[in-house]
Amino acid sequence: MGKALVLGGGGIAGLAWEIGVLAGLGDAGVDLSDADLVLGTSAGAAAGAQLLSGLDLDELYERQLRPPDAEVAARPGWWSRLRTAGALLAARSPETGRARVGRFASDAARFSQAVREPVIASRLPSAAWPERNLVVTAVDAHSGAPRTFSRNDGVDLVRAVSASSAVPGLWPPVEIGGRWYLDGGVRSATNADLAAGYERVVVLAPVSPLLPRLPRPEAELAALPEGTRHALVVPSPEARAVFGRASADPARRAAAARAGRTQAVEAAVRVARVWGV
């Protein structure tokens, strides 16, 4: 069925790292923008929209090195993180846990959607859905059910990416079509299981799951149908040092992009083998 590129969540630093990795892979002759599916979660949704925007990889990379004037420095408070973890742990099912998170996410948000949407818009080279197959993940804040958005749904791209990255305790749920949606990372940091059916799958995962009961990308890849060729790229120790504990800090964006581009040299051979380059 073709090739799928999965871009996981990880804050503004994770987004920059993904763009750096993609640019570095391009330096090595491995261009992942020809994927039949680009699946983005949270920051990965913005990275996917950037990748398929029509700008070349060098230009996308250079955008990460500019002063992050349009970004907002913020991170969820410890109490919100604790409530989210507790809701997921205590629930009888993942959907029930995610719905519990949805019930307090609006009150716990530190910023309004009026603040959030201009930030997301600034990250996207275009407000139009790309022609190629971009799918972004979210979670229904009422039911806890997973939801995906693509150009075929008639949903504004900025709102879809905002929903995919509506981190509980930081950003409010996003209304789309009369429903409210949370960060797709509340279900999975990568949602790589949604790439099932594709023959070749490459996953860039800036962060490991930080919440209880969330699947690790390694497990999601292992569960793909037999015969699926896959590669997982996670931050090197040097990149993790750049992220620190503040992946949402805009000041880390440029350093994270550089770390990703440097790391791509090591990852290029195994990614090329999976991608069929």
Side-chain angles (χ1 to χ4, degrees):
M1 189 175 170
K3 300 182 286 190
L5 170 63
V6 178
L7 300 170
I12 186 63
L15 190 167
W17 174 83
E18 289 177 319
I19 295 299
V21 170
L22 292 168
L25 291 174
D27 295 339
V30 187
D31 184 358
L32 302 188
S33 66
D34 66 349
D36 299 291
L37 166 70
V38 175
L39 178 70
T41 292
S42 199
Q50 290 186 28
L51 178 66
L52 300 182
S53 67
L55 297 183
D56 65 42
L57 289 167
D58 281 334
E59 186 168 355
L60 292 176
Y61 176 76
E62 289 300 322
R63 285 167 59 95
Q64 304 306 309
L65 305 185
R66 298 172 188 167
D69 297 333
E71 295 289 341
V72 175
R75 60 184 300 182
W78 68 269
W79 177 239
S80 294
R81 296 198 298 271
L82 187 61
R83 288 184 71 185
T84 299
L88 296 176
L89 276 174
R92 294 182 179 179
S93 71
E95 289 80 6
T96 300
R98 296 192 292 261
R100 288 178 178 174
V101 174
R103 283 195 287 273
F104 69 72
S106 182
D107 292 339
R110 297 181 60 192
F111 298 92
S112 70
Q113 186 60 16
V115 172
R116 179 60 167 168
E117 283 205 4
V119 173
I120 295 299
S122 74
R123 295 177 183 176
L124 307 184
S126 171
W129 282 90
E131 292 295 326
R132 299 189 67 87
N133 187 21
L134 172 67
V135 174
V136 304
T137 69
V139 167
D140 187 300
H142 177 72
S143 69
R147 173 67 196 268
T148 59
F149 296 102
S150 72
R151 64 179 289 113
N152 298 324
D153 293 307
V155 173
D156 177 78
L157 177 62
V158 173
R159 291 193 74 81
V161 174
S162 295
S164 184
S165 52
V167 179
L170 183 57
W171 305 109
V174 175
E175 186 273 330
I176 297 176
R179 305 288 293 183
W180 295 85
Y181 295 95
L182 301 171
D183 194 311
V186 176
R187 177 182 184 266
S188 164
T190 62
N191 289 286
D193 59 308
L194 301 183
Y198 287 83
E199 298 170 348
R200 302 170 185 269
V201 179
V202 171
V203 177
L204 306 188
V207 297
S208 297
L210 300 177
L211 297 174
R213 301 184 71 171
L214 295 191
R216 299 188 64 83
E218 296 90 342
E220 290 180 317
L221 288 173
L224 292 177
E226 184 176 357
T228 304
R229 302 186 66 178
H230 53 77
L232 172 64
V233 182
V234 299
S236 64
E238 292 78 14
R240 287 197 297 271
V242 169
F243 287 16
R245 295 187 177 182
S247 62
D249 183 356
R252 298 175 185 264
R253 185 172 75 175
R258 293 188 184 98
R261 194 162 195 168
T262 298
Q263 179 182 348
V265 175
E266 173 273 329
V269 172
R270 58 192 179 88
V271 172
R273 189 179 299 120
V274 166
W275 210 244
V277 177

